[in-house]
Amino acid sequence: MPNFTRNAIIASFLKLLEERPLNKITIKDIVEDCGINRNSFYYHFQDIPALLGEIVSGEIDRIINQYPTVDNLAECVRIAAEFSITHRKAVLHVFNSVNRDIFENYMWRICGYLVEVYMRPLCVKHKVSESDKKVIVQFYKCEVFGQIIGWLDGGMKDDIIAVTVRLSELRKGMIDELFTRCEKHS
């Protein structure tokens, strides 16, 4: 039964976030929307930022479980942007709020995970040193994160998937060249 209530709170919160900015949502709004009392809310969550943090943590866990492998950098961006595309208004309301850091920390962690998963087999295949691997993963993590943050900052107007696919086409072979250079200097 507690999972039902917890899920109802999350669903109500996301629904309300689609309708209005984060600073215009109160615990009273959430409990009225899902038909529970305040004590039930506080049994599951300390406050609204804690609720937001739980949603973020759940999404991180979902992505880690659902994507043990990633085939390319465009897929990294697509996976990282999935939740934002599905919950467009809600994400923009959080992104443009004082709790933006919660979302940015989430995105930073997801981008790091996805790039690490993508790069791991490539680094093994090309016998890349641990220090070079760290530099490469950090660079591409920043790239994926920057693409998504720039897209959000622009109001999600562009088709981030199409842009990323095109970027991948334009830089075809660059990752192979990167690994070739790593092999030459090891």
Side-chain angles (χ1 to χ4, degrees):
M1 189 63 122
N3 281 341
F4 175 79
T5 303
R6 183 181 178 283
N7 292 339
I9 293 168
I10 290 170
S12 289
F13 179 61
L14 286 173
K15 178 183 148 219
L16 293 169
L17 259 179
E18 289 287 338
E19 298 169 0
R20 56 185 167 220
L22 182 60
N23 67 348
K24 301 290 184 198
I25 299 172
T26 65
I27 292 171
K28 180 181 179 195
D29 296 330
I30 297 167
V31 299
E32 284 179 359
D33 185 74
C34 66
I36 62 169
N37 62 42
R38 289 177 77 84
N39 288 341
S40 294
F41 177 92
Y42 288 117
Y43 175 79
H44 294 281
F45 304 101
Q46 181 180 350
D47 53 19
I48 290 177
L51 169 57
L52 184 58
E54 280 291 316
I55 292 169
V56 164
S57 293
E59 187 60 15
I60 289 170
D61 292 344
R62 183 193 69 77
I63 288 173
I64 289 170
N65 290 327
Q66 190 172 345
Y67 298 100
T69 62
V70 179
D71 295 330
N72 55 59
L73 286 170
E75 187 178 11
C76 291
V77 172
R78 182 192 60 76
I79 294 165
E82 273 178 348
F83 187 84
S84 299
I85 292 167
T86 303
H87 302 283
R88 180 184 170 82
K89 287 182 182 177
V91 167
L92 284 174
H93 284 141
V94 173
F95 187 75
N96 294 314
S97 76
V98 295
N99 294 103
R100 177 180 180 157
D101 63 315
I102 294 171
F103 182 78
E104 285 182 344
N105 288 335
Y106 153 76
M107 196 54 69
W108 185 247
R109 288 178 58 197
I110 287 301
C111 291
Y113 168 76
L114 293 169
V115 169
E116 170 69 31
V117 166
Y118 166 59
M119 288 293 175
R120 186 180 307 133
L122 294 173
C123 288
V124 170
K125 176 183 170 188
H126 293 280
K127 298 176 182 69
V128 174
S129 71
E130 199 56 41
S131 61
D132 281 350
K133 176 186 170 192
K134 189 175 176 181
V135 169
I136 293 166
V137 167
Q138 180 69 12
F139 173 79
Y140 284 109
K141 174 175 144 179
C142 290
E143 178 189 328
V144 171
F145 178 80
Q147 284 182 20
I148 291 173
I149 295 300
W151 171 65
L152 289 164
D153 202 41
M156 301 165 108
K157 291 181 180 118
D158 296 328
D159 179 349
I160 192 167
I161 308 304
V163 169
T164 304
V165 167
R166 180 63 181 141
L167 181 60
S168 293
E169 291 167 355
L170 291 172
R171 68 167 175 216
K172 195 170 197 102
M174 291 176 74
I175 290 178
D176 291 333
E177 178 62 27
L178 180 75
F179 287 126
T180 299
R181 289 180 185 190
C182 287
E183 289 172 344
K184 286 180 183 177
H185 293 95
S186 51

